[in-house]
Amino acid sequence: MADRDYVVRDNPAKRRYELLFGDEVVGEILYRVKPGTVVLLHTEVDASLEGSGLGGRLVAGALDDIRSRGLTVVPLCPFVAAYIRRRPEYDDLVVRAPAIPN
């Protein structure tokens, strides 16, 4: 199975990004939508595919779609947050909490 055989798509009816192999959903990122922002909640990839890099492919596809829509992201999912920390090219998408004055 080549990486190009996998497709990432948004499924707004189920509020999730899906990683597809053919017609089969093999991974997902659950999300909530707030005005101008997508809150990424939880990422899961089929256990038989863990360690293959497909979780990263799913996250990148979701972030690229979010960027193309001009939206921002709140990465509540630890996997997504770690992915963004390792890839500064996505850092501009992240909504930062405002500083609290002393």
Side-chain angles (χ1 to χ4, degrees):
M1 294 185 284
D3 188 50
R4 67 182 179 277
D5 295 332
Y6 292 90
V7 174
V8 176
R9 75 168 179 205
D10 183 16
N11 184 337
K14 293 188 176 183
R15 289 182 294 199
R16 70 183 188 185
Y17 279 94
E18 299 172 336
L19 178 66
L20 299 165
F21 182 72
D23 292 332
E24 184 181 356
V25 176
V26 296
E28 66 181 16
I29 301 175
L30 303 177
Y31 66 79
R32 277 190 317 229
V33 177
K34 299 201 172 232
T37 301
V38 180
V39 182
L40 300 175
L41 303 169
H42 177 73
T43 303
E44 193 165 325
V45 173
D46 188 282
S48 67
L49 299 172
E50 286 181 9
S52 63
L54 290 173
R57 168 86 171 88
L58 173 57
V59 173
L63 294 173
D64 291 343
D65 180 67
I66 291 164
R67 173 174 277 137
S68 75
R69 296 179 188 193
L71 302 173
T72 57
V73 129
V74 175
L76 292 184
C77 170
F79 185 82
V80 173
Y83 184 90
I84 292 170
R85 275 193 306 275
R86 291 189 310 269
R87 289 165 185 82
E89 65 268 25
Y90 291 112
D91 196 53
D92 63 307
L93 294 176
V94 178
V95 172
R96 305 281 183 219
I100 300 171
N102 291 335

